[in-house]
Amino acid sequence: MERTYTIPLRDVKNVQKTIRAAKAVRVVQEFLKKHMKVDDIKIDASVNEKIWERGIQKIPSKIKVKAVKDDDGLVEATLAE
């Protein structure tokens, strides 16, 4: 199963500046757990680099992710183009 999601990260901007990017990565994982209904999620380096692109404080307000679910129940998230 393959889906494309636009994950809002605007709520992460309300947390402390020094933990924003790390919190954004966790929000992406939680979003995919909720919407894909699995526990095993692997986030690609391209998603991580997009979040950390402008540093720890200036995260993007949203990110577009392509999630692919295997038969095993493993979800692999990559940056959508």
Side-chain angles (χ1 to χ4, degrees):
M1 180 168 69
E2 182 177 323
R3 292 188 177 164
T4 303
Y5 292 108
T6 301
I7 303 174
L9 298 175
R10 64 180 174 271
D11 292 339
V12 181
K13 295 198 178 205
N14 294 333
V15 300
Q16 188 178 12
K17 286 183 177 182
T18 57
I19 61 170
R20 280 186 186 166
K23 177 72 174 176
V25 173
R26 287 194 300 271
V27 166
V28 169
Q29 285 181 337
E30 291 168 7
F31 183 93
L32 291 174
K33 280 183 184 180
K34 180 179 178 182
H35 288 83
M36 298 292 280
K37 296 177 177 61
V38 294
D39 291 329
D40 296 330
I41 295 172
K42 184 175 180 181
I43 295 180
D44 191 42
S46 62
V47 177
N48 193 42
E49 288 173 5
K50 179 67 176 178
I51 292 173
W52 284 84
E53 190 173 41
R54 299 190 309 169
I56 197 167
Q57 297 179 0
K58 298 178 182 178
I59 60 168
S61 58
K62 58 188 172 183
I63 190 166
K64 199 166 188 178
V65 172
K66 182 174 78 170
V68 179
K69 185 176 180 182
D70 296 339
D71 294 333
D72 305 344
L74 176 69
V75 173
E76 294 182 9
T78 57
L79 196 61
E81 295 179 0

